[in-house]
Amino acid sequence: MSHFVRWAGIGVCVAALAAWAVLWLDPDGLGRAFRSAGGIATQGSAPVGGPFSLVDQTGAPVTDATWRGRWMIVYFGYTTCPDVCPTELQTIAAALDALGRQAAQVVPIFITVDPGRDTPARLADYVKLFDDRLVGLTGTAQQIDTVARAYRVYYAKVTPKESTTYLMDHSSFMYLMGPDGTLRALFRPGTSAQELAGAIRSRLPPAS
Ligand code: NI
């Protein structure tokens, strides 16, 4: 059964990438900026991100302005993701380690696309598996829909045949947001921790 779930998960991830490609290949969209910038979209190239209102893994309400003044690395996923989410969160944690003291300027944020199952308590257990600095955010279905739209995240509930539980089909990019809350860079799934750390470091002021 777990074997099946794993393969179903991989299938869902492939479907998510295909869906993402269709969704984002609009002429004025992020897809163009992303491709032309060789995988890294810079500030002002596309309207990505925006206001949101969610709760963190302690149950405290937060908004997009909560971390204004610090950099944010934002990733969307869900705690029962069989494959891609854990890999990407490990990459983010390793990139923070590689940044050393400069990591204090960066807040890693994991936003669930599965608010029906990902309660604050569940997120609290999950994020600490990866890094103590990782913030987990959830909210109502409407709040999650709002933030996903702002970040152009594709997500959908999928129940594989013969499975009693559902998976979330979702796009899997990492977003680097600047201290003013605007998009500074976008990273493909599979980006290495070294690449991620290097791209963040190149944008940060030197550690004092
Ligand atoms: Ni995932």
Side-chain angles (χ1 to χ4, degrees):
M1 187 61 195
S2 66
H3 191 70
F4 168 78
V5 168
R6 184 175 182 83
W7 282 106
I10 291 169
V12 163
C13 289
V14 169
L17 278 177
W20 176 85
V22 170
L23 193 71
W24 286 32
L25 289 177
D26 60 302
D28 298 309
L30 189 56
R32 184 176 61 178
F34 184 78
R35 289 192 305 277
S36 66
I40 295 190
T42 51
Q43 182 184 16
S45 60
V48 173
F52 61 76
S53 184
L54 298 168
V55 293
D56 72 12
Q57 76 274 24
T58 71
V62 299
T63 71
D64 56 295
T66 297
W67 297 282
R68 201 58 46 81
R70 294 177 74 191
W71 294 72
M72 300 190 297
I73 182 89
V74 181
Y75 181 73
F76 290 80
Y78 66 114
T79 65
T80 40
C81 181
D83 209 327
V84 177
C85 292
T87 303
E88 298 306 305
L89 292 172
Q90 283 166 7
T91 296
I92 290 171
L96 290 174
D97 288 343
L99 283 171
R101 282 193 301 160
Q102 285 183 298
Q105 301 174 58
V106 184
V107 184
I109 296 176
F110 176 65
I111 303 178
T112 185
V113 292
D114 186 13
R117 291 185 295 201
D118 287 341
T119 59
R122 190 161 176 164
L123 282 168
D125 286 341
Y126 188 70
V127 294
K128 72 185 178 196
L129 298 174
F130 298 95
D131 197 292
D132 288 341
R133 294 165 287 192
L134 184 59
V135 174
L137 301 183
T138 188
T140 65
Q142 179 63 50
Q143 288 172 322
I144 294 299
D145 188 58
T146 298
V147 67
R149 282 175 189 274
Y151 280 81
R152 298 198 188 197
V153 170
Y154 165 80
Y155 69 107
K157 192 180 285 190
V158 179
T159 305
K161 268 186 181 174
E162 301 166 42
S163 176
T164 55
T165 61
Y166 64 85
L167 298 166
M168 295 303 295
D169 194 351
H170 68 96
S171 54
S172 223
F173 282 69
M174 293 175 279
Y175 304 79
L176 179 66
M177 312 303 288
D180 59 355
T182 63
L183 179 71
R184 302 303 179 86
L186 179 68
F187 303 94
R188 287 187 176 88
T191 298
S192 73
Q194 289 73 20
E195 285 176 87
L196 183 58
I200 295 172
R201 186 183 292 115
S202 71
R203 290 169 170 80
L204 292 179
S208 53

